[in-house]
Amino acid sequence: MRTTARTLLGLAAAAAVLAATPALASPASAATLASGTAAATTATAVTAPGHDYDDRWGPYYSKYFGHSRAMAARGGVWTDDSDRVHVEGRLYDRYSPSWLCGYVQVKFEDTDGDESIYWAKKCGSSGYRSFHFASEDVDSAQVRVCYWHQGESRTKMCGRWKYVYEADGDDE
């Protein structure tokens, strides 16, 4: 009964949206409107007041270990008035063995190619660990998620490095 009511409410909502947009004559028009709406929503979230750059990233994962992966949930990246780049997020460690912990690395690279790597670790499945790192004179910032093997004191099962920030080439 609940599923039927939920389905009827969903159909009613969809019908109301279609009634409000009579210009949708074909599926192609609907796809264009849907992608345009998503782009507009994303564009409004890109720059926050007081920030030259503001964006969201994730979720990113480690590689699988059995049936589990460490996860850095969606996070944010922004620049402040001092041109420092900030990367923040939440790290989860769910369903992994006790000797493995969730581990996130944030790598900042400057225009000379010098790198600074910061990390956070979360052991145990309850809750998450917040992280926030910042650096100056940043050309790019990347994030990757791994497991940390407690007994070997090293990373394992790392996911790929993913760019979360790249400076514009206009500054040169």
Side-chain angles (χ1 to χ4, degrees), residues 1-130:
M1 188 73 153
R2 290 182 186 175
T3 304
T4 304
R6 209 176 301 139
T7 303
L8 289 174
L9 285 173
L11 289 174
V17 169
L18 289 176
T21 55
L24 295 178
S26 70
S29 299
T32 303
L33 178 65
S35 65
T37 303
T41 303
T42 303
T44 58
V46 169
T47 305
H51 300 290
D52 293 332
Y53 179 86
D54 194 353
D55 203 3
R56 306 299 292 166
W57 57 266
Y60 298 152
Y61 299 90
S62 68
K63 291 182 180 176
Y64 277 101
F65 179 84
H67 297 292
S68 66
R69 293 192 295 181
M71 177 181 97
R74 291 171 181 88
V77 58
W78 72 91
T79 58
D80 62 20
D81 294 334
S82 302
D83 288 332
R84 288 175 56 95
V85 175
H86 298 259
V87 176
E88 69 170 358
R90 292 180 175 179
L91 177 63
Y92 295 86
D93 177 35
R94 296 189 179 142
Y95 315 116
S96 63
S98 62
W99 66 88
L100 292 178
C101 298
Y103 189 82
V104 64
Q105 294 175 305
V106 177
K107 177 169 51 173
F108 295 104
E109 185 175 347
D110 66 16
T111 54
D112 296 330
D114 296 328
E115 297 176 347
S116 300
I117 298 178
Y118 301 89
W119 58 270
K121 181 171 62 170
K122 167 67 173 100
C123 299
S125 61
S126 62
Y128 60 86
R129 173 162 184 200
S130 295

